[in-house]
Amino acid sequence: MGIFDLITGTPGLSGFGSASTAEQVTDGIDASNLTVIITGGAGGIGLETARVLALRKAHVIIAARNMEAANEAKQLILKEDKTARVDVLKLDLSSVASIKAFAHNFTALDLPLNILINNAGIMFCPYQLSEDGIEMQFATNHIGHFLLTNLLLDKMKNTAKATGIEGRIVNLSSIAHNYTYSGGIRFDNISDRTGYSDKKAYGQSKLANILHANELSRRLREEGVNITANSVHPGLIMTNLFKHSAIIMRVLKFFSFFLWKNVPQGAATTCYVALHPSLKGVSGKYFLDCNEMPPSKLARDEVLACKLWDFGNKLIYSVSKI
């Protein structure tokens, strides 16, 4: 798919393209036997994803830091469909303690888990550290989802084995994964202020999302587990993610209006990868506009993916001891 397809919304091999909406790509799909966790489901494309999955009758768990917004999102979904199954749970992805508490609280509900959508994220924020001393964009966008996925993986494996239904893990990345630090990941100084760039730090975290999905996919295949892991670029959508660079992004949008999507279009690729039957068994891939696309060379680096996996485990272990 090229720039012409992006501008015109011309469908790709999947039958969908940049103009497709989340409702369109899930039309006719019955998800009534599925339980889904979506991080950051209280607003933006996360909320639209939660709404459409609930519309398709999935049991949706909205994991969010802002519980007031999460409950408002739940009521918005219920207003549209009184029979929707929606629950909310507190989750702060920048906090190891909060992630562990979320996993414990979800497990206590004794629910199955078929789909995990790692959607939440922050973007272009000024240099700051999480409560665990990790650079905030890396902590929230990657480490948080890496730990959350690992803590929920046994539940997903058990669900897939007991039901015979393929589990799916979807990481929201970005085309920004192309713009990162030299070598991709600053392993030796991941949380240093020196050399920090808000744009490159974001790109680094989005590269990490793809590498995580790829390495997870490899490990699941090796283990023979009926779970897939893929990453997606939702497209350019003006949401609260741009709050740290609102003016410059609005200027950019003015000059590149033809590249931007609305929220229903922005949630389409996530919903497609999470639900569409044509992707059964497809794993370790990167999707743009509901079509498989090759990510950057760094994102396809298997050695880098394995190194990041080990680095993430060591980092989490080190902060858990504090």
Side-chain angles (χ1 to χ4, degrees):
M1 297 184 74
I3 191 71
F4 177 80
D5 300 313
L6 183 62
I7 295 171
T8 61
T10 304
L13 293 176
S14 68
F16 305 111
S18 61
S20 301
T21 66
E23 286 198 25
Q24 289 171 341
V25 304
T26 59
D27 185 39
I29 296 176
D30 179 9
S32 58
N33 58 345
L34 302 177
T35 300
V36 183
I37 289 176
I38 176 168
T39 66
I45 60 174
L47 171 54
E48 177 66 3
T49 301
R51 184 189 72 82
V52 172
L53 293 177
L55 184 67
R56 303 304 176 216
K57 303 307 178 184
H59 183 181
V60 177
I61 313 296
I62 294 176
R65 182 177 55 82
N66 186 332
M67 290 303 288
E68 182 179 354
N71 281 301
E72 288 177 358
K74 175 181 177 178
Q75 293 307 313
L76 187 68
I77 294 170
L78 289 174
K79 185 177 181 180
E80 179 179 347
D81 180 4
K82 293 181 180 179
T83 66
R85 294 177 295 160
V86 185
D87 288 300
V88 300
L89 284 176
K90 173 82 171 179
L91 173 64
D92 181 351
L93 284 162
S94 70
S95 164
V96 167
S98 177
I99 297 164
K100 289 181 176 179
F102 173 89
H104 173 78
N105 292 334
F106 175 75
T107 301
L109 295 176
D110 197 27
L111 292 171
L113 181 57
N114 305 95
I115 301 172
L116 172 61
I117 301 177
N118 291 320
N119 164 85
I122 56 175
M123 184 180 192
F124 301 165
C125 64
Y127 175 83
Q128 56 183 303
L129 298 177
S130 71
E131 67 178 47
D132 301 304
I134 306 170
E135 187 275 310
M136 188 62 82
Q137 292 192 81
F138 193 74
T140 304
N141 297 351
H142 170 60
I143 290 297
H145 284 125
F146 176 71
L147 175 58
L148 177 68
T149 302
N150 284 349
L151 292 175
L152 296 175
L153 205 50
D154 281 344
K155 171 63 75 173
M156 291 196 71
K157 290 177 182 178
N158 292 336
T159 299
K161 185 176 181 180
T163 63
I165 300 172
E166 178 183 81
R168 295 189 181 185
I169 297 169
V170 184
N171 281 2
L172 263 75
S173 180
S174 168
I175 198 169
H177 80 272
N178 287 280
Y179 183 69
T180 182
Y181 297 108
S182 176
I185 310 291
R186 298 205 307 173
F187 290 111
D188 295 329
N189 51 357
I190 197 71
S191 298
D192 288 2
R193 180 188 290 271
T194 303
Y196 177 78
S197 161
D198 58 349
K199 308 299 187 298
K200 289 182 179 180
Y202 179 71
Q204 172 181 247
S205 70
K206 295 292 100 180
L207 171 63
N209 292 150
I210 301 176
L211 293 170
H212 170 217
N214 291 352
E215 177 64 10
L216 177 59
S217 173
R218 184 190 69 78
R219 289 169 179 258
L220 292 170
R221 279 197 305 267
E222 220 174 57
E223 197 177 336
V225 177
N226 189 25
I227 300 174
T228 63
N230 293 291
S231 50
V232 307
H233 168 50
L236 296 173
I237 309 104
M238 187 62 74
T239 68
N240 285 337
L241 268 183
F242 291 109
K243 63 184 179 181
H244 293 294
S245 52
I247 296 177
I248 190 171
M249 296 312 296
R250 283 187 171 85
V251 172
L252 175 61
K253 185 176 181 181
F254 178 80
F255 288 104
S256 59
F257 64 93
F258 50 85
L259 297 176
W260 292 71
K261 296 181 179 183
N262 57 37
V263 169
Q265 292 169 339
T269 304
T270 303
C271 290
Y272 173 73
V273 175
L275 285 188
H276 207 278
S278 68
L279 294 186
K280 181 175 175 59
V282 176
S283 190
K285 304 299 182 182
Y286 173 72
F287 290 84
L288 166 67
D289 297 335
C290 301
N291 288 274
E292 184 184 330
M293 296 287 287
S296 70
K297 183 178 179 180
L298 283 172
R300 302 192 304 271
D301 189 326
E302 294 180 2
V303 174
L304 184 62
C306 185
K307 184 177 181 179
L308 176 65
W309 186 281
D310 292 338
F311 177 79
N313 280 328
K314 291 176 182 176
L315 185 59
I316 291 167
Y317 177 74
S318 68
V319 302
S320 297
K321 291 173 61 180
I322 298 175

